[in-house]
Amino acid sequence: MQDDEAALAADTPIAPLDLLVILRHPPHGSSWLREGVDVALVAAAFGQSVGLLFQGDGVFALVEGQRAGPLGQKGTHAQLAMLEMYDIERLWVSASALRARGLTPADLMLPVQLLEADALERLVHAQPHTLLF
Amino acid sequence: MLSYALLVHAAPYSEQGALSALRFAQAAVAQGHRVSSVFFYRDGVHNASTLMAPPQDEVHLAEGWRALAQEHGTELLVCIAASLRRGLMNAEEGVRHGREAHNLEPPFVLTGLGQLVDAMQANDRVITFAP
């Protein structure tokens, strides 16, 4: 358990990025997640500062140990593994979405910052450009 | 006066999003705002099909988009990766992929996601129309 990955303190400032991509769909069953991450990668490749927020079923994207193939879709693990290479290091996760699905940060493939509802609101308000997938 | 870019994820006719996007664009230009570009992504790429043939008593979405481009200079940008997967291609891509037909023509332009990034920087607002 990574109990030190507690929710962001209420007074921690959240700096605006060029783009926040909010991912709300699971990695399998539709192409929402893949096509959302594609936008984040391209924006980063164009020199933009990009952050990702995983909300709702989007938190399943980060679950360690997924395989791609049996369902005929490519999956998104390989894409997410490239985030660091594209300097996309700000990964936020809705704490309540994670809890609701019985997951903890230890189940996830990448280090993330958990956000409780008030911090989520501050994050979204701080961003001039948000795209929802 | 504001400049807008629209991002359309919604497929034509299946979902309200595409029609809402067109109506928003028409209303915005009617009020003197500028809709500089519409970026079609995901199932929204089907808005660009030359072969779209709705019944005559329904709004013709592709014609609506074309009129917006011709009358107001709106760029109609269509994601090439999303399009090729879903069977939309222009003449050039048709040749490249050895197809005897194509179904995407100007003023719709096949382009990359980088153009969406540019549109976000260049406009006052980007509005997404999801399904």
Side-chain angles (χ1 to χ4, degrees), chain A:
Chain A
M1 285 290 290
Q2 292 168 276
D3 283 329
D4 55 334
E5 297 213 33
L8 197 69
D11 54 353
T12 308
I14 298 177
L17 300 164
D18 294 323
L19 174 64
L20 174 68
V21 177
I22 302 182
L23 302 164
R24 300 178 301 170
H25 287 79
H28 306 281
S30 82
S31 61
W32 275 104
L33 185 73
R34 193 187 66 224
E35 292 188 316
V37 177
D38 275 346
V39 172
L41 294 177
V42 169
F46 274 64
Q48 305 273 290
S49 58
V50 181
L52 300 182
L53 168 61
F54 297 84
Q55 268 189 312
D57 282 344
V59 301
F60 285 126
L62 291 165
V63 172
E64 184 64 279
Q66 293 174 44
R67 287 192 302 140
L71 299 176
Q73 292 220 19
K74 276 171 80 176
T76 49
H77 248 197
Q79 268 183 317
L80 294 179
M82 290 193 302
L83 291 177
E84 194 182 355
M85 209 168 74
Y86 282 77
D87 292 325
I88 301 177
E89 286 160 353
R90 273 156 293 198
L91 307 178
W92 290 288
V93 169
S94 158
S96 66
L98 206 59
R99 274 194 302 272
R101 287 158 184 80
L103 297 169
T104 74
D107 297 313
L108 307 182
M109 64 186 282
L110 295 168
V112 300
Q113 170 74 62
L114 295 187
L115 297 180
E116 296 293 350
D118 57 336
L120 272 174
E121 188 183 332
R122 287 197 296 124
L123 170 68
V124 175
H125 275 262
Q127 307 307 322
H129 290 299
T130 301
L131 293 179
L132 215 54
F133 285 90

Side-chain angles (χ1 to χ4, degrees), chain B residues 26-106:
Chain B
Q26 290 167 339
V29 296
Q31 290 184 26
H33 299 294
R34 181 169 149 69
V35 179
S36 51
S37 63
V38 181
F39 193 93
F40 298 95
Y41 194 40
R42 294 186 45 76
D43 289 350
V45 298
H46 292 294
N47 282 274
S49 175
T50 302
L51 302 179
M52 187 187 291
Q56 285 191 354
D57 62 350
E58 290 183 33
V59 173
H60 195 306
L61 279 164
E63 272 180 12
W65 292 122
R66 281 193 288 270
L68 194 69
Q70 280 148 14
E71 293 160 23
H72 302 283
T74 302
E75 289 184 300
L76 303 178
L77 309 171
V78 189
C79 175
I80 186 167
S83 292
L84 292 178
R85 279 195 183 100
R86 292 169 172 85
L88 264 98
M89 55 181 73
N90 58 14
E92 186 187 351
E93 291 301 316
V95 170
R96 193 198 312 276
H97 291 273
R99 303 304 158 94
E100 291 176 1
H102 64 273
N103 54 355
L104 191 146
E105 293 170 349

